[in-house]
Amino acid sequence: MEVSYKQYVISDDKTKINVQTVIDFLAESYWANRRPPEQIKKSIQNSLCYGVYDQDKMIGFARIITDGATAYYLCDVFVLEAYRRQGIFEKIN
């Protein structure tokens, strides 16, 4: 799935995710700053993930944990500081 919004693309294609960007952001977050990189990589592999891209640069990320039927948990959501306040994740249908 890909959705365009302004000049950005929101995609669920995990091959596009810049894992190092996710690791770096989470290392500075209050909720995941003690999570080891290997655990972050495994969490990406085992979750539904969405990346937000400005051309080839990943500027946002969100991860969903789900049973695929009735429940989900949205976590590790971020947009890089320079790209905030534009309603980027509001555009996912």
Side-chain angles (χ1 to χ4, degrees), residues 22-24 26-44 61 63 65 73 75-77:
V22 177
I23 290 169
D24 292 345
L26 294 180
E28 298 297 320
S29 72
Y30 69 87
W31 71 90
N33 59 6
R34 295 183 181 197
R35 210 179 288 170
E38 289 307 314
Q39 191 177 34
I40 293 170
K41 290 175 187 176
K42 189 170 185 177
S43 71
I44 291 169
F61 178 80
R63 186 167 70 86
I65 303 166
Y73 177 72
C75 55
D76 296 337
V77 178

Side-chain angles (χ1 to χ4, degrees), residues 81-93:
E81 184 76 34
Y83 295 90
R84 292 182 187 167
R85 301 190 190 284
Q86 297 182 42
I88 291 170
F89 277 119
E90 293 174 7
K91 299 304 170 188
I92 297 177
N93 293 329

Side-chain angles (χ1 to χ4, degrees), residues 46-85:
N46 294 318
S47 302
L48 298 175
C49 298
Y50 293 88
V52 182
Y53 305 91
D54 184 1
Q55 296 180 16
D56 292 332
K57 180 180 180 181
M58 190 174 102
I59 62 160
F61 178 80
R63 186 167 70 86
I64 299 172
I65 303 166
T66 183
D67 63 10
T70 61
Y72 70 92
Y73 177 72
L74 178 64
C75 55
D76 296 337
V77 178
F78 69 84
V79 174
L80 298 180
E81 184 76 34
Y83 295 90
R84 292 182 187 167
R85 301 190 190 284

Side-chain angles (χ1 to χ4, degrees), residues 4-22:
S4 294
Y5 173 67
K6 296 183 181 181
Q7 75 267 25
Y8 309 118
V9 173
I10 303 168
S11 174
D12 64 354
D13 183 350
K14 286 187 190 178
T15 64
K16 293 182 176 186
I17 293 171
N18 184 321
V19 175
Q20 192 60 51
T21 299
V22 177

